[in-house]
Amino acid sequence: MHLEWNKLKTPGYLEIGLAVILIITMAGIGGWKRHQSVVIAKEAEMIHKVEVENQNAKEKQESKTKKSEEKNEDDSVQETTANGQYPIMGESPVTVEQLVSYFKSAGVAYPTEELKKGGADSIETFATMYCEEAAAEGVRPEVAFVQTMKETGWLQFGGDVSVEQFNFAGLGTTGGGVPGNAYPDVRTGIRAQIQHLKAYASTEPLNQACVDERYEYVLKGCAPYVEWLGQRENPAGTGWATAEKYGYSIVSMIGKM
């Protein structure tokens, strides 16, 4: 009887033991899963934090770059008007299109028939030559172009110099009917004007062969600023023209451009 009872009870203990083991195992698995969920959540939180920090750093850098670019633009403008004056020499942001638009704003006709004979059949070609010749000598194209508009009355001429001379800045004229210099074509006339401007503005030698007959007579570097082109305003008492505020009027015209 005693043996039979043990035989009957033994399976019960096994079942209890197995149940306990199963419970412990399941608890362990559940805990591991909860642990893994916590780890994954923390990793996700960390990744999000890094992404936010990276985005903030990127935005900060972009803001810094933008401010730097704006500062450079401001510095460029300040450099253009160094010491409150407008330099004749230097790089310029002015484009051919701006020169063309400026001429057209005057509402006058381009002398196509006359200037076509000299190689400039349109205002676009004319303005392009100014930009090219100015770049060759390091002169700001707007300075020479606007001076031409002033000297020729927006290419209408009518003074001592005739359009056929291709003399766009009154080189060699002294008034009283003296016609001044004449050039074989439009480009040569433009080149002579720009070389004459460089003679006033810089002590550097010319980069192209000299076509300005009066280049040697200029005191080199005596007028680095447009405002000093007028003899009355030039500290050395020399300049391009005797008219009062001559250079200042050119700067005013450039400002309107």
Side-chain angles (χ1 to χ4, degrees):
M1 262 325 254
H2 184 265
L3 291 174
E4 290 179 359
W5 185 84
N6 284 338
K7 288 179 181 179
L8 291 173
K9 295 296 182 183
T10 299
Y13 286 119
L14 288 174
E15 290 173 358
I16 293 172
L18 290 173
V20 170
I21 291 171
L22 181 60
I23 291 170
I24 293 173
T25 301
M26 294 301 294
I29 292 173
W32 179 81
K33 286 183 177 180
R34 285 193 296 274
H35 173 71
Q36 286 298 101
S37 297
V38 172
V39 170
I40 292 171
K42 286 184 177 180
E43 287 179 351
E45 183 180 355
M46 185 177 295
I47 291 171
H48 176 68
K49 184 178 180 182
V50 171
E51 288 177 346
V52 170
E53 290 176 351
N54 289 340
Q55 182 63 30
N56 291 339
K58 182 180 179 182
E59 291 175 356
K60 186 176 180 180
Q61 183 60 39
E62 288 176 349
S63 176
K64 198 173 179 181
T65 301
K66 184 177 179 181
K67 288 180 180 178
S68 177
E69 290 174 350
E70 290 173 350
K71 183 178 183 301
N72 289 338
E73 289 177 0
D74 291 340
D75 290 345
S76 178
V77 172
Q78 291 173 9
E79 181 186 350
T80 301
T81 56
N83 300 319
Q85 308 291 323
Y86 203 101
I88 294 173
M89 306 296 294
E91 294 184 4
S92 172
V94 174
T95 64
V96 170
E97 290 73 22
Q98 284 177 290
L99 299 183
V100 171
S101 177
Y102 180 63
F103 173 79
K104 290 182 177 179
S105 71
V108 297
Y110 177 78
T112 304
E113 185 178 347
E114 295 85 351
L115 295 187
K116 181 179 180 180
K117 296 175 183 178
D121 60 352
S122 67
I123 182 58
E124 287 79 12
T125 301
F126 188 76
T128 298
M129 287 183 181
Y130 265 90
C131 287
E132 291 173 348
E133 292 298 323
E137 296 295 348
V139 171
R140 296 178 188 272
E142 70 272 20
V143 174
F145 189 84
V146 168
Q147 182 186 39
T148 289
M149 298 303 112
K150 176 179 175 62
E151 291 281 353
T152 66
W154 298 89
L155 298 180
Q156 304 309 294
F157 291 86
D160 294 334
V161 182
S162 67
V163 63
E164 290 82 9
Q165 289 176 242
F166 306 131
N167 182 346
F168 304 107
L171 292 174
T173 60
T174 57
V178 178
N181 301 336
Y183 300 96
D185 52 47
V186 171
R187 185 177 288 276
T188 303
I190 292 172
R191 183 173 300 179
Q193 175 193 359
I194 286 173
Q195 289 181 344
H196 207 61
L197 278 170
K198 185 174 182 177
Y200 276 100
S202 174
T203 58
E204 293 295 319
L206 295 175
N207 296 322
Q208 302 192 90
C210 184
V211 297
D212 171 25
E213 298 96 325
R214 305 191 62 77
Y215 179 81
E216 61 179 306
Y217 302 118
V218 179
L219 176 62
K220 305 301 184 293
C222 66
Y225 306 115
V226 179
E227 289 87 344
W228 290 10
L229 288 176
Q231 291 181 13
R232 300 187 188 186
E233 294 77 40
N234 189 288
T238 183
W240 189 294
T242 58
E244 184 177 5
K245 298 288 185 180
Y246 175 80
Y248 283 87
S249 66
I250 293 175
V251 172
S252 178
M253 293 173 72
I254 291 174
K256 292 177 182 178
M257 182 187 295

